[in-house]
Each structure stands twice: as C-alpha cells, then as structure tokens.
Amino acid sequence: MNTLFTIAGVGILALIAEIVNLKRWLTLVVILGLAGALAFLPWYTNHAESAPAFNAMLMFDGSAVAFTWLIVIVTVFWLWMSAGYLRQGEHQTDKTSLVIFVVLGAVIMASFNNMAMLFLGLEILSLSLYALAGSKKDSLSSIESAFKYFLMGSFATGFLIFGIALVYGASHSFNLGEIFNFVKDNPDALPAYFYAGVVLMMVGLAFKISSVPFHFWAPDVYEGAPTAITSLMATVVKIAAIAAFWRIFGIIFCLTASHWVNIVYAMVVLTLVIPNITAIYQQKVKRMLAYSSVAHVGYILLGFVALANGNFVNPLPIIFYLAAYSVSSLAAFSVLIKVEENGGSFSGLYYRNKWLAVTMIVALMSMAGIPPMAGFTAKYLVFIAALSANLVPLVILAVITSAISVYYYFRVIIQMFDKDGSVEPVNVSWSIAILNFIFLVLMIVLGIFPAFDLLMRLIQS
Amino acid sequence: MVAAALIPLFPLLGFLLISLNVNRLQKYVAATIACGMMLLAFLVGVYTFFTTSGPVQIDLFTWIKAGSFESTFGFLIDPLSLIFILVITGVGFLIHVYSIGYMHDDEGQNRFFSYLNLFVFFMLLLVMGSNYLIMFVGWEGVGLCSYLLIGFWFRNQEYNSAANKAFIMNRIGDLGMLIGIVMIFMNYGSLDYGTVFGGNHNTAITTTITLLLFVGAMGKSAQIPLYTWLPDAMAGPTPVSALIHAATMVTAGIYMVVRNNILYLMSPISMEVIMIVGLATALLAASIAIAQNDIKKVLAYSTVSQLGLIFVALGLGAFTAGIFHVVTHAFFKALLFLGAGSVIHALGGEQNLRKMGGLRKYLPVTYLTFIIGVLAISGIPPFAGFFSKDEILAAAFEHNKIVWALSLLTSLMTAFYMFRLLFMTFFGSERAGEHAMSHIHESPKSITVPLMVLAALSVLGGFLNIPEALGGHHAMANFLQPVLAPVEAHEANHSTEIILMIVVVALTLVVIFLAYNMYVRRNDTSVDPEETTGVRRVLTYKYYVDELYNAIIVKPLYALSKVLDNIVERLGIDGIVNGLGKTVVYGSRGLRFFQDGSIGYYLFVMVVGIILILGYTINW
Amino acid sequence: MYITVFLILFPMFMFLLLVGMRHKNPKWLALGGAVVELAVSIYAWINFIPGAERQFSIVIPMPYSFGISFNVGIDGISLPLVLLTTVLVPLIILSSSDKNFNRPSLFYGLVLLMQAALIGVFTSFDVILFYVFWELALIPIYLICLIWGREGKGGKITIKFFIYTLVGSLLMLVGILFVYMTGDRPLGPNAFSLNVFYEIGQRMQPGQQRFVFWMIFVAFAIKMPIFPFHTWQPDTYTKAPTQGTMLLSGIMLKMGIYGVIRWLIPVVPFAVVQFSNVALILSVIGIVYASCIALVQKNLKTLVAYSSIAHVGLISAGVFTRSIIGIQGAMIQMFSHGLVVVGLFYLIDIIEQKAGSAEFKDLGGIRNVAPKFTTAFVVIMLGSVALPLTSGFIGEFLLINSLVQYQVWIGAIAGLTIILGAVYMLVAFQKAMSGELQPGLASFTDLSISEKVVLYPVVLLIIIIGVYPGPLMAVSESSVSALVNSLPDLTPFIRP
Amino acid sequence: MINSVPIDYYLWLSAILFSIGVVGVLFRRNGIIIFMCIELMLNAVNLLLVAFSAYLNDPAGQVFVFFIMAVAAAEVAVGLAILVVMYRGIRTIDINVLNRLKW
Amino acid sequence: MTLNFFYFLSFLAILAAVMVVVSRNPIHSVLYLIVTFFCIAGHYVLLNAQFLAVVHIIVYAGAIMVLFLYVIMLLNLNRESEPHKSTILKIMATVCGGLLMIVIIGSLKGTEQLVEARVATGEISLVKNLGKVMFSDFLIPFEVTSVLLLAAMVGAVMLGKSEHTDVK
C-alpha cells in the first residue's frame, strides 16, 4: 500500500524534476525511488496478513505481491534500458512520469479488490500509454499507433465497464470478496446477465492482454510505438493485464468457470495458432516480436485455463512464464534498440558486436522455449499444469506452435550470422552492456535454477 | 597340437608384413615372404596331418558374447579340415610360386601377394573354424579377397564390375547362410559344430536350415542361380583364377555341405535340392563351355560344371566321392589354369582361342602338363579325374539311372570341350598375330615347376582313394570316417562298377575323337561367334542368363530406386514435410492480410467476436 | 563419483574458456580439452566395475525446483556411448586441423559444448535433465551448421533440421510430463529419476502407455532417423560442415537409439510390445528404402547419408526386438557406426578438398595416386558393409540374429542390408576410386600426416573391435541384461 | 415513483444506446465521431449503473458513475490531444487513412 | 405518468443517438449527442439521482462536449466532407450492432428476483449519502482519480505541445 504511494510520489517527483533541474539524474532517482517502493513490499505474505486494505479497495495477497515484485523489478530494468529513450527529445520528465504512472496503474491492477480500482488502474495505465505511444511526435507511425491504441482501447473499456455494471447489478457490489461470496452462496440462482457481465469483462481484459480475436491492435501499436515503449507494453503492461485477468477469472469467477472456460479454450487455440503463423512472414524484427508477444499470451492463457480447469489456485506457472518472458523480451528489445540506433539491420550482427548478438540469441531461444533457457522452464510449468488438467490436445497444439515459432525466431539468428551483411560495428555503452549481461545471466539462471520453491512461498495461496 | 593354430597365422603374418610395407619392400622380398609363409603353413599342415589323431578343438578366445549367444574364436582340426588344409596350403604354395614368375612385371606385385596371403588366411579360417561363425568369417573373407583380386587391375572398370558382381552375388548367398546360422543358433542354442551335430534334430527345421546354408553354397560355389559371377571373375590375374576360382574358394560350398553332412542327411528334401541344382548347373555350364572362345572362360564354366557334379555327389550322399573329386579337381584345374596362364603369359595377354593354335612346339612344358590336366579332367584312367569322377557316376547309377545318364552326359561334354580347348590351343594352324608370335617363349622356371608338380599330382591324385572294385581300400573314405554320418553302405557289386567304368571311358574316347575330328582335322575354328546361329548362338551367349538377370533384377532395382529417390522421397515424404512447412508459410502470408491496418476492420472483428461470445454464453 | 560431473562440466568450461577469451590457437586448446576428456573417460572405463550398477553417480537436487535433480552416473549402457563421444570428438577436432575456419574459437567451443551436452544425454538419470541435455545438444550443432555450413543465405535446410527435430523433442516432453503427471507427483529429489519414471510408466494403463509411446517414439524416430521421418537428414548432412556432419551422424543420432533403449522400452513396455511391430516394420522398410535410394545417388555424401539411414534402421529394428542380443548388438553397432561414418565423412571431406567435388562424375581413379587413402577407404567401407573381423560385422550379426529370432521374415528383409549395402558401397568405391584417373585429379595427393592421424585410429579401431569386441561388449552386457530382465513378463503379448 | 418503471426497461434502454454507440463506431470513418460514439457507450453504461444503483438502493453504483465521468473526461483530454497531433500530421481524421502499420 | 415520461425521454434519447451516428456534419453530431445527454440526465432524475444528473450535465454537456466542439472548430472539420463507408459496410455495421443489441438484451434476463429484494428509497442519491460513500469507502479510488487526471494532463500536454519540428 505504501508501495502505491511511493510510486505515485516518484511519478510526481519526476514531474517536479522539470522544475528543479534534476534531469541528469532523473532515471537514477526514479530507479532508487522504485527500489524504495519495493522496500515497502513484503517479501511474501500468508493468508493471515493478506487482509483487504483501505475499505477493501486493495488487497496485497500472495499473487498480488508476486505480480507487484515482478512489475517493479521489470520496470527498474526497463528504466535502466530505456534511459536513452527517455532522455531523447524535450519531454524527459513527462515521459518518465507517465511511465511511473503506467507502473502505478499496473500495480493497482495487480492488487485491486474493487472493480472501481480495476477500472481506474486500467485507465491510468492505458491513458499514460496512449500518450507514450504517441510520444515520438515526429513519426507518423508513432501517432498512428497512439490513435489506434486509444480508439480501440476506449472501445474495449466500454465493454469492460458494461460488464462491470452487469456484474454489479447481479451481485449488488463492486467488492471482489462480496462478489465471490455472492457467487458462492447462489451457485444456481445467478441471473443470465451476470454471465453476460462476466464475459463482457473478459472481452475487455482480453483486449488488454491482446488475446485473439482482440489482438489486432497489438502488432500495429507495437510496431508504431517507440521501441522502448513497445517493450514496456510487452512486459509491464502485459504483466498487469494478466494479473488483472488472473484476479478476476482465476479467483473471483473461478466458481463459474464452467460457463466461460470454453471461451478461453477457443481464445487459447486461436492465440496459439494465428500469431505464431502470422509472425513467420514478418520482415521487421519489431513487428515479429509484437506477434511473438501476442503468441506468448496463448501459452499464458493455456496455463490459466489449466489452472481454472484443474481447480488449482496457484498462479505460479503464469508468474514464472511472465517473468521469463519479460526478461527475454527486455533483452531482445534492448538489443533491438541498439540495432535501431545503428541502422536497424540485424544482418551480420554477430560480427559487429558479439555480445549483443549472443544476448539476442539467448533471448530468442528463451522465447522459443529451448532449454536450458528460462523460456523452457516457463513452458515446462505451463505444460505440467495443462497436463494435470488433462488438456492433452491443447498441449500438443502448443508444442507444435512453439516449434513453428522457432522458425521466425531463428530467422533473426540466421540473419545475425549473415556474412555478407553490414560490417559497421555497433557500439554499446557500459551501462547497457552490463544490463545485457544481467539479462543473459538471468535468462540462463532462471532456466537452470528456477527458484520455484521461492516463488511458491511468495505466493502461498 | 596348438601348432595347428599357426597354420592360418603364417599367411596372416605374411599379409601384414607385406601390406604394411607395400611400397617399401622389394619385389623379390615380398614374393619370398609370401611364398615362405605359405610353405611354412604347408609344412605345419603336414606336421599336423601326421601327428593328429582324431578331432582336436583349439579355442583361442571368446569372440562374441551377448546374452545367451556366445561364440568362441577357435579351430577344429579333424580329417575333413586336414584334407582341405593340405590342399589349400599345398596348391596355394604352388600357385604362389607360380605367381612370382607370372606377376613379375606387374607394378602391383606386392599388393598381389598380400591379397593372396590374406586369401589363404581366410580360406584356412573357413575350413578350420570350430563353429559356424568362424566358418562364416572365412566365408566372407575369401569373398573379400576374391573381390580384391578380381579387381586387381583396377584401372579397367569392366574388371571392377566383375569384382563387384562377384562380391554381391556371394553376399546374396551369404545372407541365406547368415540366416541359416542364426536359425541353427535358435534351434540348437549354440553354433559349435559338436553341439549342433549332437543336438536334437527336427526334420522341418533342419530342412530350412540346410536349404538356407545351401543358398550360401550356391553363391560361393557358383551354382544356379548364382553362378554367373564366376566366369566374369576370370578378369583377375590367372593365378587367382587357379587358386580362388578353381582350386579352393569355390569348393567352400562343398566343404560346408560335407561339414554339415549330419544335418543334410536329416533332410532328404535338401539332399534332393542339392542334387538337382548340382545336376542342372553341371549340364548348363558344360554346354556353355562348349561354345566359349576365351580360354579362361572355358575353364571357368568347366569349373562351374565340375562343382555341379560334385554337388550331385553330395546330394546323393556320396560325401567321400565329393571330397575326393574336390581334391583331384584342385590339382588338375589348378594345373589347367596355370597352363592357360602360361599360354596367356607367353602370348602377351591373349586369351582368345581363335587367335591361338599350334603352340605345342613353342611351349613344350606347358603343352605336356596341359595334356595331363585335360586327360585328368576328362576321366581317362589312370589320371586323377578318372577315379573321382567314376565314384560320383557310380553313386549316381545306384541312386537313379537318369541322374547317372545326365552326369555321364556332363562328363562327356567335359571331355569334348576340354579337348576342343586343347586342340584349339596347341594344335592346328598358328593364328596368333605376328607381334605375339615374335615374343613367344616358354615360361620361366617359377611357372613351369609348379606346372610340373601339379601335373604329377594330377597323375597320382587318383590313388588316394582307389575304389574296391579296382582293388583299393577307399583310403580317403576311411580317413574321413569320423566326420561323416554313418550311412548304410550298399555298394553296387564290383562287376557292375567295372562295366560302367569301361562304358564311360569308351564313350569319352569317342567324344575325344569327335573333338579331334572337328577341331584338328576340319579345323572348325573359323566361325565368328557373332555369326553363329541357333543353339550355338544361344550357347555362345550363355543362354542369355546375364541379360536375363539384368532385365529382371538389376534394371528393375535401379528403376525402383530412381522412382523411390525422385518420386517417393523427393515428392512424397520430403514433399509432405516441406509441404507442411510451406503451408505454414503460405498460411502466414495469407493470415497477415487479416491484419490490414484499418481500425474499422479491427473493431468489426472485435464486435463479431463479442457477439459470438455473448451468443454462446446466453445459450448456455 | 565426480568423474561424471567432470565429464559433463569440463567441456562446458572449455566452451566458456574458448568463447569468452581470446586465444592464439583455439584448435589446439580445444584438442587438449578433448584429449583430457578422452583420458578421463578411459580412466572411467578402467575403473568401471562390470555390472549393472550405476557408477560414478551423483545426485544433487536442484535448489528450488520441483524434484528435478542433477542426477548423473554411468552404467553399462552409458559407458560405450560416452566412450564413443570422447573418442570421436578429438578425432573430429583433428580432422579439421587443415581447415581455417573463421572464428575458430567459437567453432571449437561449440563442438565442445556439443560434447558436454551429448555426454549429459548419455549419463542423465533424471528425465528432465535428460531432456534438457537433449535439447541443449541441438543448439551448438545448429549454430555450427548455420555459421560454417555450405548453405547460402536463409539457412532453410538447417532450420528444417532444427524444427523437425524440435517438434519431435517437444512431443517427447509432452510424453515425459504425461508420465510424471500420472504418477504420484512427488516433489522429492528423485521425482524425475529413472527408477521412479520406470515405475510410474510400467504401472500406467495400456491406453496411457500407448499415448506416451507415440509421443516419445516420434522424438527418437526423428533423431535416429527412422523412415519416414528421415528427410531432414540427407540435406543436413550435405549442407553441414564436415565436422558438423560427423557430430550429427557419428554421435548425435545415437541419442535416438540410446533414448529408445533407456527411455522408451522400459517406460512403456506394454505399448512397446504392442507397437514394436510397427516400429520394426518402419525400421526395416527404412533399411531397404534408404539402401535403394543410396544406390542411385550421384554424390558420395548423400550416398553415405542414406546409407546411414539404412544402418540405423537396422539398429533400431534390433533394439525393438527387446532382446539382449538385439540391444547388445545395437550397443556395439552404435560404436561401430560412429567410427565408420565419421571415417567415411572424413574421407569424403578429403576428396572434396582435393578434388573439389564429391560428385561421381568428377571422380574416378583416385586409387592410382593415393594408395594409403585407398586402403583407409577400403577398410572403412568394409566396416560399413559389415565384413567379418570389422566392427560392423559384430553389430550387424547380432542385430540380424535378434531379428531372425523375433520374426524370420523381418530378419530376412533386414538382412537385405548386407546385400544392398555392399552394392551401393562397392559401386561408389568403383566409381570414385577405381578406373583410370580422371584428368582433373592429377594433383590428388595421398594422405598427409594430419589426415593419417585421424584415419589410422579409425581404421585400427574398426579392426580391433571387429577382432576382439569382448572388452567393449562386456561393459554393457550386464546392464543390458538387467534392463531386459526387468521388463515385465509380456509373453502373452508377443506374437499373438 | 421509480418502481412504476420496471428496471428491465432501463436495462433495455441502456443496451440500445450502447448498441447504437457500437454501430456508430463501426459505421463512421470520422475519428472524432467515433470517439463521440464511444462516449455514448460510456453513457449507456452510466445509465445502467444508475438504474441498478437506484433499484438496489446502493449508492456505490452512483459513485462508480462519478469515476466513469472522471475517466471519460481524462480520456477526452488525451484522445483529443492525439487527434490534434494526428491531424497535424496527416491533415485528416479519417481513420481509413491510418494504415501505415499493417500486415 | 412516470412511465410516459420515461417513454418520451427514451424515444428522444434513442432518436438523438441515431442522429449522432447518421449526421453528416460533425457539429450536428455533437449537438445531437448533447441532446442525448440531456435525455439521459432526465432519466437520472427519474431514477432519483438528481445530483448525478446535474453533475452529468455539467461534465458532459458543459465540459466534454464543449471540448469536442472546440476541437472540431479548431481543426475546421465542420464540413460534410467525410467520405462515407461503402453501403455494404454500413449494412454490415448495422447488422452487427443489431445483433449485438439482440444478444445483450437477450442476456438481460432474470432481473426480477434480485431487484425486488430491496425497498428502493430516494435517499441514497442525496449528496450527503453519496459524499459519505465517496469519501469513506471509495476514498482511495477518489485519490487515484487525481493521479488519473494528472496523468491525462501530462499526456495531453506532452502531445499537444508543438516541438517545432516538421513531421516526417
């Protein structure tokens, strides 16, 4: 809770920085501030401690704490990585504070206990992102992506709140605990419009997590937005959206799972197949990563379905998947940013900067799910969960699509070893080199020593 | 007794010494090593022969062991193997000596001797092995050496093809044999001769086993249908033809059948098959031999024919007669080949009979020894072939008159084509080219001495096993007694036997006269084989068997392979795999158009999705 | 007990050393590492007590991971393959001594990483660990093929190879996890250990076993490869750099066979009984099919590639008989095939370097100028056609033996390999080596020292193993019998 | 007073308004009008919430409407800013012109 | 009486909403939307939510729609120049909207038993009650709203501020 205030304070501090001329050290200050926010976050919680707070508006239970940790840590890495982007142009403080607001929204989405908080958190996150997506004002693509994101995002929000309204009408409350109890007490007497509300909320959130068929915005927006913001969307925003999805459907509506789980099935199948196949033909690495990001949602949802289906209330596979994916994705984007600064071509990258290429290879392999990288362990956990819920056909489909995904990931690798490509060396600052090295280590260490038990303790639900 | 283990060791040593230093050794050193090793092996063989009483088994080490399967690397010294050891090392030694002269000018002489030594090693393994697997080692090993030696002059691709053909046809037989061996193991739990022969026999299984083993023999001993490699094998140097493709290797099949006589006697069907195959081969090959014009081809078909005859004997249960004929055949056929080699050597490589003639005054030693060989093979008493062949005919007569008649026919054809060969080579007009005639000379000592020794053996070899009808004691039969299954001996009475002999000899003489009439008096050599017609043409072209095999096996196999490669593999299997990949890529190309960049369209799809989802939910 | 750990980690360490730092002579450093590895593995062989027990084993539970442990050891089935790997890798490194790759340290580093992964595969006794090494082995070989291969831009064939094998292994992962999920799902340090895995697997319902069988079988079938999963192989072998081809054909495809022996047959014995006929028939079809195709190849390299499919078909057929003889035959034949195929590919590499092509139309008469080369070629070829007293014979005899015992006709058809194998090898030899010297080959030199250093050990080993296979076979004997005897009694299922 | 109108009527009304908003979004190409239609959708939701709040006798629903209003205002601010920037760039607010990013 | 008023307001709201969609001139759309908002405000009054109705009119009609109008004027968009979508698309859009309406209305079943459980009074809508709820239970969301508005402001300012660079 104090975490929230600290984050908000950091955001405002970033704005003030414009006035007090703190720009040079802004990123560092913000990182420290976020680290301070983490200090208020418990290492782990158990049930007794995870009481709802602030008139039951927020609840930092196990999964919320885990998601928050993940969000803040990823943001710290992101800030480290994107210091260059933030410093570009005139709006350093604006962009920084908007990013912090995104994080604030994300944390709210991970810890809300009331539909109002969900809505507000989502909107803080979205509005800041709309602006950030368009922050490269001299680029038409950036503006187009901001507009697309904005228009479709608000449209989807309409459905989300329509759903919230219907659920409220049926359950008489916005409080998650009360809704849960209401569902529990009236298992058979739920009105039809309650279910309509549930699926409309699902639509709204599915848009945010960019699951097929509500994913269309994602590739375009990811491609058009400044690369650093794209990576923010692919990591922090995705984590927040999934956290919200988990909170709503994994916890509150899990008792009615039989009414909506088939829809998620269908979304899983579509999300596994369509983006994975579409990504193959992409010519731009950034757009390919966008499709890959959508495709990964398929695996996450697979884990989600498995949990919902198996009455297994531990989001560990999802959290781990998000962590692994975020690290790999950040690593890939960090390389992409450097490459874009140097002409934008990956060809011959290995000969131009070995470590950058190695980071990219490991990142791509991790995303493709090849052991011993983190992505493999993540997929492993998801598959285990899915198998325990007897979702064998879905697992086989997931396996096949992840083999397909190798094709587009490896096309980049192939390009990096292209001998006829550009030879102009790519220079990387020390700070980014260290960051990449940390990513590299993390991707491998998370793969080999996934620290499941640690996470388990963290979640404890 | 361990000394016997040295017998194969010497040639192996020779092989290693020569082959590891093939470029460093002087020619005469290599030749000396090779011949010396052969002599040592022969001497040890003789020593063993005189010191051994009864079968002795020498186990060296466990070779292969896997689960219940165990096979030792060991030797079995018994009368049967001793006879073969002596023939192999003895004749082998002579042929080594002969090769010194014959291969003197060849740059690959050292290589040649190393191969020869290797061959002898494998041949000894074959006959000395104490179990089927060691026999099989030798069996395949001699095939390898045969391959290497047929293709010895590797610049000539035809020779290489002949070598390949030999190896592959042998391998076809070997597969049958291998499966037979495995079935032996399955049914007897061991591959040791002793265990197998003493095991429980089941007629049906034994029949299968023996037939499969005989398939191996068909390949190695050039029987129908796997005989066509042997005439082609004449591509190798002549000593090779003498040693491998006449005297020793091709008799491996006979050795194998005799070695397994206990099994074969269990299975009348197999015996019948062997006899019929042998008889058919004998007739077929003999008839082809009549129309051949290549001196070595004639001898090759003669070998095939003689081997067929021996199989007739084996099929009739006359194992001793078979072995006896193997021994005498080794002597006179080696003699004939070496004689032919001498002629070829003298004529500078000419092998065509139609370009020979009248050579007796130029090559007196060769001529004389050759005549002995021809007489021996034609079965003129008292030369070696007479006794052995007579014994086969006697066995046939007793068994079945038709078999006898056909065997006799073979024998008469043998006499005919052998004398044809003799006459066309040494009699009549001198048809060789001037260039060849200008260089003609009698061969050196290293060639003629082995000829003479072999001639002597061809004269005397028959006395090893004089039939009782002629007052002998069947010395060889008695010697082989321990190896052979006891058979009810119901010999024809001696007078019948003697009458038969007289009839045979008389008919043979008639045939020889016929040949003389045709090829010396009428000098019937001017017919170009291309212009022949009718039966003669069919015979000249060897019944078109090679063409037939080519048409029904080789070509279809290649055609099938091409189809498999180009259609099934490329278009079919790989096509499916690549097709799947391409489908995904095309799918990608198509799917990405759904992402057409227009917000209106995106929203539209979203709404459709929502309608479907809501519709699904309220219908719940 | 640290021998195994050393064997796995030392090449990894060498990999890091090679990739992470600059070296003047990465080739020799890598060779040194490989030789140390060989020495250690021989030390392990000497200290190996013949028997079925797992030795040099160590179990380290991985911190914070559900029951996955670093569970490695060496038993009779592992040791021959470990030896094969440690013998071949130095030879493979040596075989490149005349080549100047660009980025040599990366190349040799990857070769050693590959070695580590392969040894990991052969020594893992934890199924997840096995899987991780299995996949890890794919990465270096992929990169080797990609960076130093002969393929132009795009790397289509390499990626086909990678994805094809990856599909298989991912399905295997599904199978593995399925087995785990049907068990009690313990979280202890041995949750995924071999014995637990066997136990769960053997208790599964027939339907579950069938499912798991197909999931796992496909992975191994692709890796080996068994007909009709083989089409990645000839292309990859042709396009990979020779050292990559050697790694692939010499060692990597043994992973599939090893997998069947260790991770398929004992895990789902009922399903194996039920489907072994299918597997056998596929293998046997593969033998004949690949041999036929080899017959009409116009290039030595593809010919050997197809011959490899045929030989492996025989091995897998033998393994699926589930008899001691068959599996022992497979063990020895794996070793032999590794030697032979590495030798053959090296010979072809020499031809390609000196003649500029491995197409038959450009070759002929090499015998005239290169007798030592010819001798090596002949011996290795004879090993390939399984002539007695070469290592190939021991294996093929035992394999055909087991097949004939299983079903005479299957044995007979599988036995066609000894005929067809002879046909295509001899014809290839004739076309490439015999005849008149092709005018373009006049400069073909005989073996150089560095070539001898590779070929002579191969030749010697082929003959030594052929003459005296005892020591090698004794290593695996009791492990194989223990494995076969531990299978549940399935007599009622055999030959219904 | 309120009970004389069945709540279903309000639900239907808000559903109809919401759907009209959706139709408008799909119907028009003018960015600003699409945006207005989205506002219409939000208002439909507001109506729904107020109706529920009144019939359930629960003030929370109405409080939620305040939040929606606040969000709508914020959205309009950001949205119109984006729209203006876009207009500066491409001199139109026709959404169909926006397809640089595709495939 | 109330019911009739309800019908009238509803009819007007729907009509105005339809006009928003079909009007060619953006200005007209804005004006129709304002009409709709007023009707909705009327519904709020009918529902006893008078305070909300007032706020609604102030925020929407007074602030938001003015902003819209301002932008339309600023960008000089008050022409009927919008190239319309093709007829088939329009039909599809209408069909889709109709279908959506049907499924939503179809899902709005089963309201009876829940609503009748409570006695509705007008008291909840009093400013006093709303304020209590807002500043006790919903305090945090209220505070968070300030962050939301701040974020929107920062975003809008950042986007709106011209950087004196040419758009590429």
Side-chain angles (χ1 to χ4, degrees), chain E residues 2-37:
Chain E
T2 323
L3 201 57
N4 286 338
F5 201 60
F6 171 81
Y7 283 140
F8 170 72
L9 281 177
S10 303
F11 174 74
L12 200 59
I14 291 169
L15 186 74
V18 170
M19 289 314 286
V20 172
V21 175
V22 296
S23 292
R24 293 212 147 204
N25 192 323
I27 304 278
H28 294 178
S29 287
V30 173
L31 296 176
Y32 282 121
L33 193 56
I34 292 172
V35 172
T36 315
F37 287 160

Side-chain angles (χ1 to χ4, degrees), chain A residues 4-310:
Chain A
L4 269 186
F5 295 135
T6 321
I7 294 173
V10 169
I12 292 160
L13 186 73
L15 279 176
I16 297 168
E18 177 87 52
I19 306 163
V20 298
N21 236 342
L22 198 72
K23 280 186 182 172
R24 257 188 92 187
W25 303 102
L26 183 58
T27 308
L28 192 61
V29 169
V30 169
I31 288 176
L32 289 176
L34 288 182
L38 277 184
F40 292 109
L41 201 60
W43 182 233
Y44 66 92
T45 51
N46 54 35
H47 266 303
E49 288 174 41
S50 63
F54 291 107
N55 299 314
M57 284 296 143
L58 294 172
M59 183 156 85
F60 276 88
D61 58 1
S63 61
V65 169
F67 278 120
T68 309
W69 270 99
L70 193 56
I71 288 167
V72 178
I73 290 174
V74 168
T75 311
V76 167
F77 282 130
W78 185 87
L79 285 166
W80 187 345
M81 176 185 99
S82 311
Y85 157 76
L86 291 174
R87 224 171 288 143
Q88 263 171 17
E90 296 179 7
H91 303 291
Q92 187 189 359
T93 52
D94 298 350
K95 287 190 279 195
T96 312
S97 64
L98 283 175
V99 168
I100 299 302
F101 293 143
V102 168
V103 176
L104 182 71
V107 172
I108 292 174
M109 282 170 78
S111 58
F112 66 92
N113 196 37
N114 190 301
M115 292 300 185
M117 287 307 280
L118 167 68
F119 178 56
L120 288 171
L122 185 74
E123 281 301 317
I124 294 176
L125 176 127
S126 304
L127 284 176
S128 314
L129 265 185
Y130 301 152
L132 283 170
S135 66
K136 205 171 166 194
K137 284 184 290 179
D138 54 352
S139 149
L140 275 186
S141 302
S142 173
I143 297 165
E144 178 178 336
S145 83
F147 187 72
K148 276 184 175 167
Y149 195 18
F150 164 72
L151 210 56
M152 299 176 75
S154 358
F155 187 64
T157 309
F159 285 95
L160 175 71
I161 53 172
F162 200 92
I164 292 177
L166 290 178
V167 170
Y168 165 72
S171 65
H172 306 186
S173 176
F174 292 113
N175 184 291
L176 297 194
E178 284 175 32
I179 295 172
F180 182 75
N181 289 332
F182 168 76
V183 173
K184 203 166 69 180
D185 297 341
N186 305 293
D188 305 320
L190 294 170
Y193 66 88
F194 175 79
Y195 296 122
V198 169
V199 296
L200 283 175
M201 286 186 72
M202 178 177 282
V203 167
L205 288 173
F207 174 86
K208 274 286 161 232
I209 62 174
S210 68
S211 142
V212 179
F214 310 109
H215 71 292
F216 285 102
W217 62 276
D220 293 3
V221 173
Y222 280 31
E223 187 192 344
T227 309
I229 299 305
T230 307
S231 69
L232 189 73
M233 291 183 202
T235 53
V236 173
V237 178
K238 189 144 281 170
I239 297 169
I242 298 282
F245 198 83
W246 163 256
R247 228 166 161 70
I248 298 283
F249 292 96
I251 299 174
I252 305 307
F253 293 148
C254 71
L255 294 179
T256 62
S258 59
H259 286 84
W260 48 260
V261 81
N262 285 337
I263 297 168
V264 188
Y265 273 147
M267 292 204 294
V268 169
V269 172
L270 290 173
T271 314
L272 285 175
V273 174
I274 290 177
N276 267 321
I277 289 181
T278 317
I280 285 178
Y281 211 74
Q282 298 307 318
Q283 306 300 324
K284 290 182 200 147
V285 174
K286 195 170 168 189
R287 198 168 171 85
M288 182 278 279
L289 285 175
Y291 277 106
S292 125
S293 166
V294 178
H296 280 284
V297 170
Y299 300 99
I300 295 170
L301 280 184
L302 173 61
F304 177 80
V305 161
L307 301 185
N309 219 32

Side-chain angles (χ1 to χ4, degrees), chain A residues 147-148 151-152 155 159 195-196 199-200 203 207 214-216 219-220 258-259 262-263 274 277-278 280-281 287 291 404, chain B residues 583-585 587-589 591-599 601-603 605-607 609-610 613-614 616-618 620:
Chain A
F147 187 72
K148 276 184 175 167
L151 210 56
M152 299 176 75
F155 187 64
F159 285 95
Y195 296 122
V199 296
L200 283 175
V203 167
F207 174 86
F214 310 109
H215 71 292
F216 285 102
D220 293 3
S258 59
H259 286 84
N262 285 337
I263 297 168
I274 290 177
I277 289 181
T278 317
I280 285 178
Y281 211 74
R287 198 168 171 85
Y291 277 106
I404 291 175
Chain B
T583 311
V584 172
V585 173
S588 169
R589 225 183 262 188
L591 270 180
R592 82 198 173 110
F593 287 114
F594 284 98
Q595 188 85 27
D596 78 341
S598 128
I599 302 181
Y601 167 76
Y602 295 169
L603 295 170
V605 177
M606 266 179 79
V607 172
I610 293 164
I613 290 174
L614 262 181
Y616 169 81
T617 313
I618 58 174
W620 182 256

Side-chain angles (χ1 to χ4, degrees), chain E residues 13-14 20 22 26 35 56 60 100 103 113 118 139 158:
Chain E
I14 291 169
V20 172
V22 296
V35 172
H56 180 81
Y60 275 102
L100 185 71
V103 290
Q113 77 268 29
R118 294 194 190 183
L139 179 63
M158 186 187 79

Side-chain angles (χ1 to χ4, degrees), chain C residues 40-97:
Chain C
V40 173
S41 70
I42 288 174
Y43 175 75
W45 186 20
I46 293 166
N47 285 312
F48 185 81
I49 304 151
E53 292 82 35
R54 199 181 302 168
Q55 291 164 44
F56 318 114
S57 66
I58 187 166
V59 181
I60 309 168
M62 299 285 264
Y64 308 120
S65 6
F66 293 123
I68 300 171
S69 37
F70 189 78
N71 184 349
V72 294
I74 293 179
D75 72 355
I77 299 173
S78 317
L79 187 55
L81 290 160
V82 170
L83 282 172
L84 176 70
T85 312
T86 54
V87 167
L88 287 184
V89 168
L91 290 177
I92 288 169
I93 292 174
L94 271 174
S95 78
S96 68
S97 57

Side-chain angles (χ1 to χ4, degrees), chain C residues 111-192:
Chain C
V111 170
L112 289 178
L113 181 64
M114 176 94 186
Q115 182 180 30
L118 289 165
I119 290 180
V121 166
F122 296 138
T123 56
S124 295
F125 283 84
D126 182 288
V127 66
I128 297 295
L129 195 65
F130 165 76
Y131 180 79
V132 168
F133 280 124
W134 173 278
E135 291 279 20
L136 183 64
L138 210 51
I139 298 169
I141 191 68
Y142 171 75
L143 290 176
I144 288 174
C145 295
L146 174 68
I147 304 174
W148 294 276
R150 298 145 209 251
E151 215 182 339
K153 270 194 172 178
K156 280 225 171 71
I157 286 166
T158 3
I159 194 92
K160 174 175 161 189
F161 149 67
F162 191 86
I163 291 181
Y164 205 149
T165 45
L166 190 73
V167 168
S169 25
L170 283 169
L171 291 178
M172 172 168 81
L173 179 66
V174 176
I176 289 171
L177 296 183
F178 187 88
V179 174
Y180 172 71
M181 295 317 292
T182 49
D184 306 330
R185 303 182 208 168
L187 289 175
N190 286 318
F192 286 98

